[in-house]
Amino acid sequence: MTIAFWSEEDGCGITSAMAAIASICSDVWNLRTILVQSRNQRGDLCKRLSHTASVPVMRIDCINKKSVPAMRKSCINDMEPVSDIWDELFWLLKQRRLTKTMLLHCMVPVVTGRLYYLPQGEYQKQRDYQPSVKDGVRRIIRCTEQLADLTMIDCGNGTDSLSADLLAYADAVVIGISQERQNLDAYFQNRHVFPGNVIYLVNAYHPESIYNRKNLNRIYRLHDEELAVIPHNPIFRQVSEKGKIECFIRRHKDCSVFDRQFYFMQELIHTAALVLRAAGFPIPKAGSGIGNGKAGIC
């Protein structure tokens, strides 16, 4: 099951929202979840889920040292060190040697066995991408689908052919919107049409705004199950900037009604449930751990 996150404008907090929803799926419902952020944007997923900026680099070096000598003996003397994990994965796909075990080895574990993310590649934003690039990204996404219950893709903001391809592929699309009239009118007057179900998400939601949940539903003719919110929360923003979103979710997921984070957590869990239902995914009581231990070819 694949869910894509996207916003037309910058600053909607779509990356932190995806990390929070993924943490709910992992910590509350024990769903095996993999997050992906491609090179078509200047993203910060690793900053939201890991304080150690060197973790992705160490894993890329690990792939270079272990995978390259074993599989590229014939050309090892002519090779330059691979600096981008996506380049390595594309090469393995081309050689038909990418296995689930290799792909999982490339990922950074946030919660071992439940929540992982694939490090972002080198930033190469462009409007059009070669069909081979889009095909390679899709094939890697299909591999992650075999490893996890949920794959969540951060497509960033704006329009380009790679994001459009991933949004069309997803089972559900989460679109980040603001509470500013000008931006809302501009989007909904020319809204995009997606094959899958769509959830409109307001991050850092202010209920006292004129464009609150009730008025957004009324003015833009949205059904209750189409609009989700993550309430404005200065503490959550701080932990997000420190890379501790999952830790925050895990700490407060069972908080009582007397806890200051109770309202925030209830809204966040409700939002995650809306997203799963839009993707046609039933909310289970428990997951079953990541992967099947088989080194099958993707």
Side-chain angles (χ1 to χ4, degrees):
M1 194 68 66
T2 298
I3 302 168
F5 290 72
W6 175 82
S7 63
E8 188 171 58
E9 58 182 298
D10 194 14
C12 287
I14 202 68
T15 301
S16 59
M18 182 181 77
I21 291 171
S23 297
I24 289 290
C25 293
S26 170
D27 293 336
V28 175
W29 298 313
N30 295 318
L31 291 174
R32 298 165 293 174
T33 307
I34 290 177
L35 307 183
V36 177
Q37 190 171 46
S38 185
R39 65 172 67 178
N40 68 326
Q41 57 176 302
R42 186 178 284 109
D44 55 358
L45 180 59
C46 64
K47 297 178 183 178
R48 301 292 173 246
L49 290 171
S50 172
H51 353 249
T52 309
S54 61
V55 169
V57 178
M58 287 191 296
R59 290 195 168 269
I60 292 173
D61 289 345
C62 185
I63 291 297
N64 291 336
K65 292 176 181 178
K66 293 187 177 181
S67 295
V68 171
M71 293 181 288
R72 300 192 187 180
K73 292 180 180 178
S74 60
C75 58
I76 192 69
N77 295 329
D78 300 324
M79 280 189 55
E80 293 294 328
V82 179
S83 60
D84 191 316
I85 197 69
W86 285 89
D87 288 340
E88 182 72 9
L89 293 175
F90 286 162
W91 188 91
L92 290 169
L93 278 173
K94 186 177 180 180
Q95 300 298 315
R96 298 184 179 181
R97 293 179 178 178
L98 179 62
T99 66
K100 299 174 188 177
T101 301
M102 290 177 186
L103 181 58
L104 185 59
H105 188 69
C106 292
M107 296 186 184
V108 177
V110 182
V111 179
T112 302
R114 289 206 312 268
L115 183 59
Y116 293 76
Y117 70 84
L118 187 64
Q120 182 192 16
E122 181 182 355
Y123 177 68
Q124 296 182 11
K125 181 75 170 183
Q126 53 197 62
R127 189 165 186 83
D128 294 311
Y129 291 80
Q130 294 293 327
S132 60
V133 174
K134 293 188 284 188
D135 178 66
V137 172
R138 274 204 182 196
R139 290 174 64 186
I140 291 171
I141 296 300
R142 284 196 289 269
C143 286
T144 66
E145 290 174 333
Q146 297 175 40
L147 285 169
D149 298 307
L150 297 170
T151 296
M152 297 187 180
I153 311 171
D154 184 358
C155 295
N157 62 280
T159 57
D160 61 78
S161 61
L162 180 56
S163 292
D165 191 67
L166 293 172
L167 291 168
Y169 176 81
D171 297 291
V173 175
V174 178
I175 299 176
I177 60 175
S178 67
Q179 289 180 275
E180 299 179 11
R181 177 180 177 179
Q182 183 177 357
N183 295 334
L184 288 166
D185 287 346
Y187 175 77
F188 282 104
Q189 286 172 6
N190 301 283
R191 74 171 75 182
H192 299 264
V193 177
F194 300 102
N197 292 326
V198 173
I199 295 290
Y200 297 97
L201 174 63
V202 181
N203 196 3
Y205 171 75
H206 292 271
E208 67 276 9
S209 168
I210 295 176
Y211 287 87
N212 56 26
R213 182 158 27 195
K214 180 179 179 180
N215 287 333
L216 285 172
N217 284 334
R218 178 179 58 83
I219 296 171
Y220 300 106
R221 299 180 181 180
L222 302 177
H223 299 294
D224 290 341
E225 63 273 14
E226 291 181 295
L227 181 62
V229 304
I230 298 178
H232 172 69
N233 186 336
I235 296 178
F236 177 75
R237 181 173 180 175
Q238 290 177 11
V239 299
S240 174
E241 292 173 350
K242 293 179 180 179
K244 298 181 179 180
I245 286 181
E246 189 279 327
C247 296
F248 176 87
I249 300 300
R250 180 159 29 93
R251 177 180 179 183
H252 295 287
K253 65 186 180 71
D254 296 318
C255 65
S256 70
V257 69
F258 303 105
D259 193 295
R260 291 184 178 181
Q261 300 301 328
F262 180 77
Y263 166 71
F264 176 82
M265 289 301 300
Q266 291 301 300
E267 285 287 359
L268 183 54
I269 291 172
H270 176 67
T271 289
L274 287 177
V275 171
L276 291 192
R277 291 191 186 104
F281 194 98
I283 301 174
K285 293 183 179 180
S288 55
I290 189 137
N292 54 20
K294 297 180 181 179
I297 297 294
C298 288

